[in-house]
Amino acid sequence: MQGIDEIQLRLLEEIAGLHEVPEGAFNIRANGQLASRHNTAHIEIVSKEDGSGIDIHIKPHTKKESVHIPVVLSQSGLTDLVYNDFYIGEDCDVTIVAGCGIHNGGDAASQHDGIHRFFVEKNSKVKYVEKHYGSGDGRGERIMNPTTEVHLAEGSCMEMEMVQIKGVDSTKRNTSIDLAADAKLVIKERLLTHGTQDAVSEIIAHLNGDGSSANILSRSVAKDDSTQTFIAKIFGNAKCAGHTECDSIIMGHAKVSSIPEITANNPDAALIHEAAIGKIAGEQIIKLMTLGLTEEEAEAQIVNGFLK
């Protein structure tokens, strides 16, 4: 890709699966600057006038198209902040792939904060994938603090896949969603921390319309001396259905907090929360070791299977 160096290309492969120029619309940001952009007949990406981010406009009835908007940082000590707004017209079916990769080979902290707002119109379906990844042997921290705000109109649907499985020293993820009548939300979060990493994820869903539903699922593994906090809040303000579930594996000297909260403000709101934290069962390790795996290999296989 023009304007993308080898390190940045590796980051793009990790966070967005990009080995070459993607099909469809895309906007690639590298070290705080626009590296490459492409629009289609149905999807237009424009820079905000103040240079703070981009606006993505998806025309009504756009089907089976994708938008890639990855961000990569390979410069130590860089702080990057962007505001991206997505306007999805009625009756669309699209996939949006975001994410951030940071390679830090220096001593200064590198940080990316992305603020994304989604305005999803009636009867549209959006799949949103956001992956975070860090690399580099420098002593500088790799910090990512994403904020996501979603507005789902009547009959719309959004599936969000949020993944962080390597190399991020500190993250604070804030996600808020409001749902109109018959709107549907599914969030699948996967998280792995190790060393002294710290991760906080807070998801708040307001079910405002009759027939709306939200299913919030989190799977996480905390290793070594890392810490995790997962907060899920669902407010049932109509005849609706809400469910939140958090499953965590804890290892070493890690600390994990799971804080589910459900509030029914309507007698026809049906809300459920579930949370479980535990270590890997010894018999699972032993069973795999009898198949020829070492203890470390058995442990890794269990963790990978759990997160998948």
Side-chain angles (χ1 to χ4, degrees):
M1 296 183 195
Q2 188 175 1
I4 301 294
D5 62 31
E6 185 177 342
I7 290 175
Q8 294 167 352
L9 184 58
R10 288 203 303 270
L11 294 174
L12 287 172
E13 290 176 0
E14 290 287 346
I15 65 172
L18 296 181
H19 304 279
E20 55 189 19
V21 175
E23 294 183 3
F26 62 84
N27 187 96
I28 299 174
R29 184 178 177 91
N31 288 337
Q33 303 293 326
L34 173 64
S36 186
R37 175 182 296 169
H38 180 256
N39 292 326
T40 68
H42 303 113
I43 302 174
E44 182 183 20
I45 303 172
V46 295
S47 298
K48 292 184 180 295
E49 291 185 1
D50 61 2
S52 61
I54 56 177
D55 291 333
I56 299 94
H57 298 272
I58 301 177
K59 294 182 179 180
H61 313 295
T62 299
K63 299 291 181 70
K64 305 301 180 183
E65 291 199 32
S66 64
V67 187
H68 287 76
I69 56 158
V71 173
V72 292
L73 276 67
S74 58
Q75 178 182 326
S76 183
L78 182 65
T79 298
D80 190 30
L81 170 64
V82 293
Y83 296 82
N84 298 333
D85 291 329
F86 301 79
Y87 301 93
I88 297 99
E90 293 187 12
D91 191 36
C92 291
D93 186 351
V94 295
T95 298
I96 299 170
V97 180
C100 176
I102 296 178
H103 177 90
N104 193 344
D107 296 333
S110 296
Q111 179 171 338
H112 173 74
D113 296 344
I115 299 172
H116 291 176
R117 297 191 303 169
F118 295 84
F119 302 90
V120 184
E121 298 299 333
K122 291 176 60 175
N123 300 320
S124 281
K125 181 179 180 180
V126 178
K127 181 175 182 180
Y128 176 65
V129 181
E130 181 179 272
K131 296 184 178 181
H132 289 168
Y133 173 81
S135 64
D137 54 5
R139 292 183 297 176
E141 286 189 307
R142 295 168 292 270
I143 303 168
M144 303 183 194
N145 297 319
T147 298
T148 306
E149 178 184 314
V150 181
H151 305 279
L152 294 176
E154 182 180 347
S156 63
C157 175
M158 189 158 187
E159 179 182 341
M160 307 175 71
E161 180 181 343
M162 299 186 290
V163 181
Q164 179 177 306
I165 56 174
K166 186 177 181 181
V168 180
D169 295 297
S170 174
T171 186
K172 293 182 179 178
R173 182 194 299 275
N174 292 294
T175 306
S176 62
I177 309 99
D178 59 72
L179 295 85
D182 297 315
K184 292 178 172 54
L185 169 73
V186 177
I187 295 180
K188 299 176 182 178
E189 181 179 80
R190 289 184 286 141
L191 173 67
L192 185 146
T193 56
H194 55 85
T196 59
Q197 295 173 353
D198 177 64
V200 179
S201 177
E202 182 175 21
I203 301 172
I204 302 174
H206 295 270
L207 305 177
N208 296 328
D210 286 350
S212 59
S213 66
N215 192 15
I216 301 169
L217 308 173
S218 174
R219 285 265 178 119
S220 72
V221 176
K223 295 182 176 183
D224 306 323
D225 295 294
S226 65
T227 58
Q228 297 180 8
T229 304
F230 176 75
I231 304 165
K233 300 179 181 180
I234 299 178
F235 295 90
N237 303 320
K239 183 179 180 180
C240 61
H243 172 251
T244 175
E245 177 183 332
C246 175
D247 289 329
S248 300
I249 290 177
I250 186 169
M251 305 167 67
H253 300 286
K255 296 180 181 179
V256 178
S257 296
S258 179
I259 309 169
E261 178 183 323
I262 52 177
T263 301
N265 297 315
N266 185 294
D268 291 319
L271 309 177
I272 301 171
H273 73 67
E274 303 174 75
I277 303 171
K279 65 180 181 180
I280 297 174
E283 58 267 24
Q284 291 178 292
I285 296 286
I286 294 172
K287 183 177 180 180
L288 289 175
M289 290 178 68
T290 62
L291 300 176
L293 275 65
T294 66
E295 183 175 353
E296 291 76 15
E297 290 170 340
E299 182 182 278
Q301 189 166 8
I302 292 169
V303 167
N304 291 336
F306 177 79
L307 290 175
K308 288 179 180 179

